[in-house]
Amino acid sequence: MKKKLVYLVCLFSIFSFQLNFSMYDDHDEFDVFSDTDLMMNSFIDTIDPNAAKQSSSSKEVLETLIGIFDIDRILRRNFFLKTHPLNTRRLLDNPLFLMDKDYNYGRWVLDFHLFYDQTSRMHFVRRCTDHECKDKMASGIYNYLATKDCCLIRELEQLKEKVDGVYPGLEDYSVRRVLSLFCNTKIQERRAGLFMGFMGSIRKLHVTLQVPFYYVIRNFFLNDKERKAIEKELGPVNPGETNEAEALAFARKHLVSDRLCLGDTRFSIDYPINDNGGIDFRLGVFTDIPTSVSMVKGLYGEVFCPIKKRPTVDFANLLDLAGGSEEDREQAVSFARRFGLNVLDGLSSMLVDTHLGDRRHFGLGLFVRTHTPLSCILNRGWTQNLFFKGRISLEYLFPAKECRWFIEKCNPVAFSRFDKYRSGDTVDEQVADEDLSFLEKRLVDMLFPYVYETNVRPGFIFMWTSKLTHESKRWGIHVGSDIWVQSREQLSDICCPTYQKTLLDIERSRRPWAYQWTLLGSLFFKSKRKKSTLYIGLSGEKTVASSGIGKPFKVSLSFERNF
Amino acid sequence: MKRLLIVLLMSCLFVNSNFCKEEKIILESPLLSLIDGKTFGVSAVSFGLMLKQRLELRRRIYGVMQENGKRIGFFEFEGKKVTLLDLCEIESHVGEDSVKKDALRKLLDSAKDDFMAISDKYAQAIRSIKEPLLGLLEEFVEKKGLKHCFLITWGSITAQEEEDAIRSELKDFKDFTKFYIELADFLEVLANSCPKGKRLFVEMVKKARAGK
């Protein structure tokens, strides 16, 4: 019995011993931690720290980016919701510059307007009619960039959680909160300059020539409250005066664009078609000649050219740098910073860069001018000097080549190729190389729309201005309203590689149709000289309703000489 | 019967040795899943470098292993080869002998210079990942149950402050040796927590041995 018990204990002991050995994994056939193994020690001594500098394989990179960070889930989403430039109204279409006073001294009129025009919130999209703050809705950059896209934000938050686990220090920031700070970024445009006009009467024919010379500046804009919220959340980079100076220098380099230029020229002629002594109808034609030329660029800000040469990303190199020495890491950070600034400059070239005139489109239009005494409708003593003046025009803008931005339609099915990196399947190195190239290209595609020369057909512009005017010997007043409508543009003949033509999302690249309804008024004084009459006037207009374009206000000080 | 008893005793000894063996500490930081086995993280070479650094530290703590199986101290004190453990012993019995004290202080300074020299090769790489490394150090200290650990101080200061901290905080051989032992243990735990890196290293060793 004793003997059996002893054997039992022996068996148990041996079993435990075996169990103990089986707990070692298969590569513990020699102990790498043994410092009594002289062969191992001498091998370890020969390891060269410089030998650690090797390049990561594509498979390794994908196992990290896909298997750990799920980066493909972010890249399958679109960052750009729109890629078209913003709608603006040309100065030539401004009703304040219509030369429609009662010029009764001589045959020639020389007209100068010193003007200022500001659009505080340019519209990225057509106005949403089902919202209370319609103007604000259309003017936030979240209409253009997916800064409010719930799916993208969710994916980014998940990525951040994973990064937090690996690299602490960013736990206090929330992706949703940070993006919400920037999603209401607006675009502002200001124009100031001299609008020049000359009108001559040759018998009953009126000939007019108009051209503006102006300074235009456009910038990203956040109000004080929004800026304070950003500072509160992210904190000043370097508090103090230096910080403000640096911030301003950064803004001028990346967020502001300006230029001084001569605009397009409008030449028009009109002729009376019905002059029955009361109501006066004049029919005319006009043409807009693309004479615009830039005099000085980047006086305060920069000129942003469309980024045609697309940047490249090398994830393998970036990961190697991130895992390398301090210098390597700085190099990776510097690359990321450059890449980020490139994205910003690319966005600025789309939204902020100030273009010349009407982007080189030749325009041809018809117009009708009316001049109706109120006394024709209501014959009272006080109606003697009151007139209805109107101008209706329809202009066709001819096609011209422009640089336009396009993104490719994202095909989520194409991303199924990355599933194997999550499941840990064996992957051929060549396949991994292709998959990594796809991922790198997708990141660039997501942040840098393609820039292609495109045939743009802006279509038609309709304008209807009506005013009630009163003019006496010494002064006059005009009040009225103006409606301006621009049709939606068409894009064709995109100069892109043939394979890409079906892939491009052209709808996102087309500017929306736009309209403005504006109230306007002007007050002027007449000063009669020996050989001429001088008109000095102050005018202003405010857009009260608009869609697809902002609501600007304009003021102008005019000097007109009729001789 | 006697033979049986001998077998029984031996078996019990094995079992006891097995049960007495300290449980391996494994770090579970998500950082390790990111870098383990990767070229940009813990590759075969990086794993080997970890072992190299650990080996260098242990040579100073316990002495350099000789072919005859004996260890010789790395440092020299009063004409004798001594280890850090020996120096701790000498330091504890030095009393008021100012000459000896002075010699020990000089030796401590040169030991610190030596630490700077051996860690300089890896310092840059470590500095660049100091923030995530601090998380690993904290996990190690917690799992190991260490108290007043200089490793945490070392992990939380900037690169510029490192040398000053080592020179000012580690005032005697006792502190210095404790730091060495903790650092060597940390490197072992870190290496143990990277199974993919370890596998790659073992493959590299096998290849090297097969090549010979």
Side-chain angles (χ1 to χ4, degrees):
Chain A
M1 185 63 194
K2 265 184 185 175
K3 209 172 173 181
K4 272 186 182 173
L5 190 70
V6 168
Y7 271 117
L8 208 65
V9 172
C10 283
L11 274 171
F12 171 71
S13 306
I14 289 162
F15 173 73
S16 300
F17 181 67
Q18 291 292 334
L19 191 72
N20 187 24
F21 268 97
S22 65
M23 278 164 76
Y24 282 84
D25 37 27
D26 55 355
H27 32 78
D28 276 359
E29 56 192 80
F30 45 81
D31 185 4
V32 294
F33 298 110
S34 165
D35 46 2
T36 54
D37 182 346
L38 291 177
M39 268 178 74
M40 180 61 81
N41 288 359
S42 60
F43 179 80
I44 288 172
D45 282 335
T46 58
I47 296 171
D48 178 12
N50 294 326
K53 287 175 185 168
Q54 291 171 347
S55 296
S56 299
S57 69
S58 300
K59 188 170 171 272
E60 269 183 316
V61 174
L62 287 166
E63 277 170 357
T64 308
L65 295 178
I66 308 290
I68 297 176
F69 292 118
D70 290 324
I71 207 163
D72 58 317
R73 292 195 177 138
I74 294 167
L75 295 183
R76 71 180 68 184
R77 309 215 61 87
N78 281 320
F79 182 58
F80 278 91
L81 303 176
K82 306 278 176 195
T83 56
H84 56 74
L86 303 184
N87 276 323
T88 47
R89 187 168 167 175
R90 299 169 307 171
L91 288 168
L92 292 172
D93 287 341
N94 199 312
L96 292 187
F97 306 140
L98 289 177
M99 298 168 76
D100 58 357
K101 293 186 181 73
D102 292 337
Y103 306 111
N104 44 23
Y105 187 88
R107 292 161 59 195
W108 314 105
V109 180
L110 198 57
D111 174 23
F112 291 99
H113 285 264
L114 284 169
F115 68 91
Y116 176 76
D117 161 7
Q118 179 175 325
T119 309
S120 300
R121 294 166 171 269
M122 296 181 81
H123 286 193
F124 292 97
V125 286
R126 279 197 295 128
R127 192 173 67 171
C128 302
T129 49
D130 58 348
H131 199 275
E132 285 177 5
C133 306
K134 294 159 186 170
D135 183 44
K136 286 181 184 174
M137 275 282 286
S139 61
I141 205 164
Y142 62 86
N143 292 292
Y144 204 82
L145 303 176
T147 48
K148 267 192 178 176
D149 181 340
C150 296
C151 298
L152 182 66
I153 290 171
R154 194 180 57 236
E155 300 297 350
L156 285 170
E157 277 180 338
Q158 282 173 4
L159 171 70
K160 194 187 155 285
E161 271 174 32
K162 285 164 192 161
V163 173
D164 286 344
V166 171
Y167 204 93
L170 297 169
E171 291 91 343
D172 295 341
Y173 300 108
S174 143
V175 173
R176 190 178 295 275
R177 229 169 38 231
V178 169
L179 283 179
S180 71
L181 295 172
F182 295 96
C183 69
N184 281 318
T185 304
K186 297 159 279 289
I187 305 285
Q188 278 190 345
E189 186 182 70
R190 294 175 188 83
R191 290 182 289 193
L194 187 66
F195 191 94
M196 297 166 283
F198 174 77
M199 189 168 79
S201 303
I202 306 164
R203 294 188 182 176
K204 288 183 176 179
L205 192 74
H206 285 173
V207 180
T208 313
L209 194 72
Q210 291 173 303
V211 62
F213 174 72
Y214 62 105
Y215 172 75
V216 56
I217 182 166
R218 212 189 264 193
N219 58 279
F220 289 99
F221 176 76
L222 287 164
N223 61 30
D224 285 345
K225 198 178 159 191
E226 289 161 340
R227 278 200 293 261
K228 275 179 187 161
I230 291 172
E231 269 192 21
K232 194 179 168 192
E233 181 69 27
L234 304 175
V237 185
N238 185 13
E241 204 174 294
T242 327
N243 182 51
E244 276 178 27
E246 276 177 13
L248 186 65
F250 177 86
R252 288 176 63 174
K253 199 161 185 291
H254 300 286
L255 308 173
V256 183
S257 174
D258 65 335
R259 67 175 85 210
L260 186 69
C261 57
L262 190 72
D264 290 346
T265 306
R266 174 168 288 180
F267 177 73
S268 58
I269 50 172
D270 58 270
Y271 192 80
I273 50 169
N274 174 30
D275 188 2
N276 59 8
I279 300 167
D280 184 15
F281 279 98
R282 300 183 73 89
L283 181 67
V285 290
F286 65 96
T287 177
D288 289 338
I289 306 156
T291 54
S292 55
V293 59
S294 188
M295 306 283 190
V296 188
K297 299 175 193 172
L299 279 168
Y300 183 76
E302 284 285 325
V303 173
F304 300 100
C305 297
I307 298 175
K308 289 183 179 174
K309 193 183 173 194
R310 300 172 70 69
T312 52
V313 176
D314 185 346
F315 280 133
N317 185 37
L318 278 177
L319 277 178
D320 289 339
L321 290 174
S325 66
E326 207 165 359
E327 277 173 21
D328 289 343
R329 244 169 60 108
E330 267 172 26
Q331 220 177 311
V333 171
S334 151
F335 171 83
R337 195 181 292 129
R338 272 201 318 274
F339 191 79
L341 287 177
N342 259 343
V343 173
L344 187 58
D345 288 347
L347 184 66
S348 294
S349 74
M350 297 164 81
L351 295 173
V352 171
D353 190 53
T354 47
H355 54 85
L356 291 170
D358 196 37
R359 299 174 190 266
R360 304 272 164 209
H361 291 279
F362 185 85
L364 191 62
L366 282 173
F367 69 92
V368 174
R369 293 180 87 139
T370 60
H371 184 268
T372 313
L374 187 60
S375 55
C376 289
I377 305 161
L378 193 68
N379 196 5
R380 296 277 192 280
W382 56 270
T383 60
Q384 289 308 304
N385 288 322
L386 286 171
F387 295 90
F388 282 118
K389 288 182 181 176
R391 182 182 183 275
I392 300 172
S393 69
L394 184 69
E395 181 184 13
Y396 177 72
L397 292 171
F398 286 86
K401 288 276 181 192
E402 285 184 37
C403 272
R404 281 304 177 89
W405 297 265
F406 298 90
I407 54 169
E408 284 184 0
K409 291 170 198 160
C410 187
N411 178 15
V413 181
F415 286 83
S416 60
R417 67 202 298 170
F418 296 114
D419 293 344
K420 52 185 176 280
Y421 298 100
R422 283 193 189 88
S423 58
D425 294 349
T426 323
V427 183
D428 185 54
E429 202 56 46
Q430 198 183 336
V431 174
D433 286 345
E434 283 168 17
D435 290 346
L436 186 60
S437 301
F438 176 88
L439 204 69
E440 288 167 347
K441 180 181 173 293
R442 179 62 202 148
L443 176 70
V444 175
D445 285 358
M446 190 181 176
L447 299 172
F448 292 89
Y450 289 90
V451 182
Y452 292 126
E453 282 253 305
T454 306
N455 194 40
V456 180
R457 282 177 287 161
F460 292 91
I461 291 176
F462 171 78
M463 208 176 132
W464 179 15
T465 309
S466 53
K467 294 177 185 174
L468 178 66
T469 70
H470 172 84
E471 289 190 31
S472 65
K473 280 184 180 176
R474 303 299 301 266
W475 63 280
I477 185 167
H478 289 190
V479 285
S481 71
D482 162 77
I483 291 168
W484 175 91
V485 184
Q486 180 167 349
S487 65
R488 193 171 188 201
E489 65 183 13
Q490 300 288 327
L491 305 180
S492 61
D493 301 333
I494 303 163
C495 297
C496 65
T498 318
Y499 79 90
Q500 209 178 24
K501 280 190 176 162
T502 52
L503 300 175
L504 295 179
D505 195 340
I506 296 166
E507 276 306 299
R508 289 177 197 257
S509 311
R510 289 173 62 201
R511 279 194 289 188
W513 74 274
Y515 85 83
Q516 280 183 335
W517 180 49
T518 305
L519 297 179
L520 53 105
S522 65
L523 185 69
F524 55 88
F525 297 92
K526 294 178 187 176
S527 169
K528 289 197 174 173
R529 304 287 171 92
K530 275 185 180 175
K531 291 181 179 177
S532 66
T533 306
L534 183 67
Y535 297 75
I536 301 171
L538 195 65
S539 316
E541 67 165 63
K542 175 77 186 101
T543 301
V544 288
S546 73
S547 172
I549 190 168
K551 286 183 181 173
F553 73 86
K554 294 183 188 79
V555 285
S556 146
L557 179 66
S558 63
F559 301 91
E560 287 172 277
R561 193 175 174 205
N562 179 213
F563 56 100
Chain B
M1 187 63 193
K2 268 184 185 172
R3 224 165 59 200
L4 272 175
L5 269 172
I6 290 165
V7 172
L8 179 65
L9 276 170
M10 280 180 71
S11 307
C12 287
L13 201 67
F14 272 126
V15 173
N16 280 331
S17 70
N18 185 26
F19 278 108
C20 290
K21 194 171 179 173
E22 199 182 344
E23 205 177 314
K24 273 183 190 172
I25 295 173
I26 300 292
L27 303 178
E28 284 152 358
S29 163
L31 173 68
L32 293 175
S33 61
L34 171 70
I35 60 174
D36 184 19
K38 304 280 169 33
T39 309
F40 60 84
V42 183
S43 61
V45 178
S46 312
F47 189 89
L49 289 173
M50 255 194 275
L51 295 184
K52 190 174 180 175
Q53 178 77 346
R54 175 184 165 273
L55 184 64
E56 292 292 348
L57 295 172
R58 286 177 68 89
R59 276 173 178 160
R60 283 149 182 81
I61 302 165
Y62 305 110
V64 183
M65 182 58 70
Q66 302 296 299
E67 283 185 11
N68 58 10
K70 285 186 179 173
R71 290 179 183 271
I72 290 184
F74 185 86
F75 301 99
E76 200 172 310
F77 184 70
E78 292 179 338
K80 281 182 190 172
K81 291 280 184 186
V82 286
T83 63
L84 281 177
L85 292 175
D86 296 335
L87 287 165
C88 285
E89 187 68 21
I90 295 165
E91 192 179 57
S92 65
H93 295 109
V94 73
E96 295 301 312
D97 187 344
S98 58
V99 179
K100 223 172 192 177
K101 265 187 178 176
D102 206 36
L104 279 172
R105 202 173 52 245
K106 277 180 186 168
L107 187 59
L108 182 63
D109 286 342
S110 65
K112 285 175 185 174
D113 289 340
D114 170 61
F115 174 73
M116 298 298 170
I118 57 167
S119 57
D120 190 48
K121 293 165 195 169
Y122 321 101
Q124 278 209 330
I126 289 169
R127 279 170 194 159
S128 65
I129 53 159
K130 212 142 193 203
E131 275 181 61
L133 190 70
L134 182 62
L136 292 173
L137 287 168
E138 282 169 347
E139 191 185 342
F140 165 74
V141 167
E142 192 190 328
K143 287 188 172 171
K144 190 92 174 167
L146 298 174
K147 283 175 187 170
H148 311 297
C149 187
F150 180 70
L151 273 181
I152 298 293
T153 315
W154 178 73
S156 54
I157 55 178
T158 62
Q160 290 77 23
E161 294 164 337
E162 257 176 39
E163 192 173 338
D164 290 341
I166 285 168
R167 292 202 188 279
S168 59
E169 302 257 332
L170 305 175
K171 288 172 184 159
D172 51 30
F173 273 109
K174 193 183 148 206
D175 289 345
F176 190 67
T177 309
K178 185 172 172 273
F179 170 59
Y180 258 56
I181 292 172
E182 285 167 355
L183 186 55
D185 284 354
F186 171 69
L187 288 170
E188 184 173 333
V189 167
L190 183 61
N192 260 325
S193 308
C194 299
K196 289 178 188 169
K198 190 176 178 183
R199 198 184 63 231
L200 293 171
F201 176 73
V202 169
E203 280 167 16
M204 188 171 84
V205 175
K206 278 182 189 171
K207 265 186 198 171
R209 286 185 178 177
K212 280 181 183 176

